[in-house]
Amino acid sequence: MGFFVFQDRQNMIRLTSLSLIMNKKNIRISLYLLGAAFVITISILLFSKEKTDYVESENPNDKAESFFRTQSDGFSVDPYYLESAKSMFSPEGRFLKFDEIIDRARRGELNFVSELWALRRQCPTDYTREQCHEFIKAFIQNEYSGKEADHLTKLLTNYLKYEDAMIQLDPGSKSYTNMERYEQIKKLRRNFFSKEDAELIFGLEEATADFSFNRKNFLDDTKNLKGDDRIRKYEDYRKKTFGNYYDSIVAREPSYDRFETEMELRQNELAKLNGSERDNKEKEIRIRYFGKDGNERMEKVLKEMKEEEEQISKLETEESNFMKKNSNLSKEEMDKKLLELRIKMLGSKELAEEYGRRLEYENTLKK
C-alpha cells in the first residue's frame, strides 16, 4: 500500500447479515455500548502489540541506532536509511501531494494512523520498532521536501511519543466510565499535538466516539416523533456531529447500514401497524435500498429464518414436555433420547448435534 494513498471502498449489500433484522433492537443497543469501549481500548491494544513485535527483535545493523536517542531536532535521517528506503518502498501509482494529504485528512477520506500501520507492515519482520520508523521517516523525506517533509515527520515523531504514553494507560480500569476514559485520552493527545494537528489525526475518530456516546440520548429524545421527522433529525444530528467528515461518512456507508438505521428509527411507527401494513411498509423500504431483486432475496432469507425459528420453538416445547414426563431417566439416557428427538424434528444428526452445541454454549454464557 502506498503512503497516504487513498483507496475507495465499494459498498456491498450484506445479505448474510439479515439475522440482524430479527433482533435489531437488542443488537444495535449492544453494538453501540460496545462501540464506545472499543474506541477507547483498540488503540491501546494495538500499540501494545506493535511495540512487542519490534522491541523483542535484535537490531542487526550497527547503523540502526535509535533515531530518538541520537537526534535532537527530530528531523535528521541517517543517509543509510534514505538510500534503503528508496528501494524498500515502491508504491503503485503516484503519491498524493502534501496539500492533498492534508485536505483529505480534514475531510475524513484519509486516516494517518491507518497509513502509518500500512507502512509498518512493509518493514522486515526482524527490524526493531525504531529501525522501522527510521525507514518511514526516510521515506517521507525522500518523497516530500522542505517544510512539507518536516511537517509530516513531526506528526509521525509526536505520534510515536503519544504511542508510548498510551501504553501506560490501563484500559481495564473500572474507576472511570467509558466517556471519562476517552476524555483522558483526548487530553493526553493534546500534550503531544497542537489543536490543529490533533484534529487532523484524530478528528474523525473523536467525532465518531462523540456520536456513539450521545446516540442513545438522541434516540430517547426523538422516540415519539413520526418516522420521517425522526430520520430528518437523525441526519441533522450526524451533520452537526461529524461536520467536515459528514460527506465522506455518507459516501462510504453501505446500503445495508442505511437500511438498518431507517428500520430502527421507524420501529415505533412500524409497531403500531397491523401485520400486512407492516409487511408492506418494510417491503417498500427494502426495495428503495436494494431494488426488487434484492428485496426478493431478502424475503426468501427472512422466510427461511421464520420457519427455522418456528421449528426451534416447537422443538423446545417438545423437549420440555419430554423431560417433564421422563425425569427419572439417567443423564446418559436422557441425552440419548433428546438427540433422537432433535434428529427427528430437525431432519439430520448433523443439525441435531449443532443445535446441542449451541445450547451448551448458551448455557455456558449464562453461568
Side-chain angles (χ1 to χ4, degrees), residues 61-299:
N61 194 312
D62 291 339
K63 285 190 175 183
E65 187 173 356
S66 172
F67 170 85
F68 303 105
R69 289 192 290 269
T70 60
Q71 303 295 335
S72 60
D73 57 8
F75 300 112
S76 298
V77 178
D78 191 308
Y80 164 79
Y81 292 107
L82 187 58
E83 291 302 315
S84 300
K86 290 179 181 179
S87 59
M88 180 179 176
F89 302 101
S90 53
E92 298 178 359
R94 73 174 182 87
F95 291 105
L96 295 178
K97 296 179 180 179
F98 177 80
D99 290 342
E100 291 176 315
I101 293 173
I102 301 302
D103 182 58
R104 291 191 177 188
R106 285 173 177 163
R107 288 188 280 121
E109 295 178 356
L110 179 147
N111 186 316
F112 277 97
V113 179
S114 295
E115 294 296 336
L116 171 59
W117 277 87
L119 286 177
R120 281 170 164 167
R121 285 192 291 271
Q122 296 189 54
C123 290
T125 56
D126 61 346
Y127 275 24
T128 64
R129 180 176 185 262
E130 288 81 2
Q131 262 188 300
C132 183
H133 295 150
E134 286 279 1
F135 277 95
I136 295 173
K137 288 181 175 64
F139 178 68
I140 292 173
Q141 293 201 352
N142 183 57
E143 292 298 328
Y144 303 93
S145 60
K147 293 182 179 180
E148 294 177 353
D150 289 351
H151 189 177
L152 293 176
T153 306
K154 183 178 180 181
L155 289 178
L156 177 59
T157 300
N158 289 340
Y159 185 82
L160 300 178
K161 294 176 181 178
Y162 160 70
E163 276 190 343
D164 289 334
M166 278 287 289
I167 294 172
Q168 306 305 316
L169 289 180
D170 176 18
S173 174
K174 297 181 180 180
S175 58
Y176 298 96
T177 65
N178 287 331
M179 186 178 293
E180 290 170 341
R181 173 63 70 177
Y182 197 72
E183 286 301 319
Q184 283 187 321
I185 292 174
K186 289 170 64 176
K187 184 177 180 181
L188 177 66
R189 289 169 175 172
R190 273 59 180 178
N191 292 336
F192 298 94
F193 300 96
S194 66
K195 181 178 182 295
E196 182 179 354
D197 286 346
E199 290 178 354
L200 195 66
I201 298 174
F202 305 110
L204 177 55
E205 179 207 296
E206 292 179 358
T208 303
D210 184 52
F211 179 79
S212 297
F213 285 131
N214 294 291
R215 187 177 187 276
K216 184 179 183 303
N217 292 334
F218 170 85
L219 295 177
D220 290 340
D221 292 342
T222 60
K223 62 183 178 182
N224 295 322
L225 293 179
K226 293 182 179 179
D228 290 341
D229 292 337
R230 202 179 190 200
I231 290 171
R232 178 178 54 78
K233 284 188 173 294
Y234 182 81
E235 286 308 309
D236 290 341
Y237 165 57
R238 291 212 302 173
K239 289 178 182 178
K240 181 179 179 180
T241 304
F242 288 107
N244 293 335
Y245 310 119
Y246 175 78
D247 289 339
S248 64
I249 290 288
V250 171
R252 57 177 175 256
E253 186 177 24
S255 295
Y256 189 87
D257 285 1
R258 295 196 297 273
F259 161 74
E260 191 184 26
T261 297
E262 178 164 346
M263 290 292 289
E264 180 186 21
L265 295 174
R266 292 187 183 276
Q267 63 180 325
N268 293 335
E269 179 182 88
L270 293 172
K272 297 176 182 179
L273 302 177
N274 61 41
S276 60
E277 290 175 334
R278 181 186 177 104
D279 289 343
N280 289 334
K281 185 63 177 179
E282 291 181 356
K283 180 178 180 178
E284 174 192 318
I285 296 172
R286 288 195 297 269
I287 291 175
R288 177 151 35 89
Y289 285 101
F290 310 116
K292 291 183 178 180
D293 290 342
N295 173 65
E296 289 177 1
R297 291 193 297 271
M298 294 176 78
E299 284 188 336

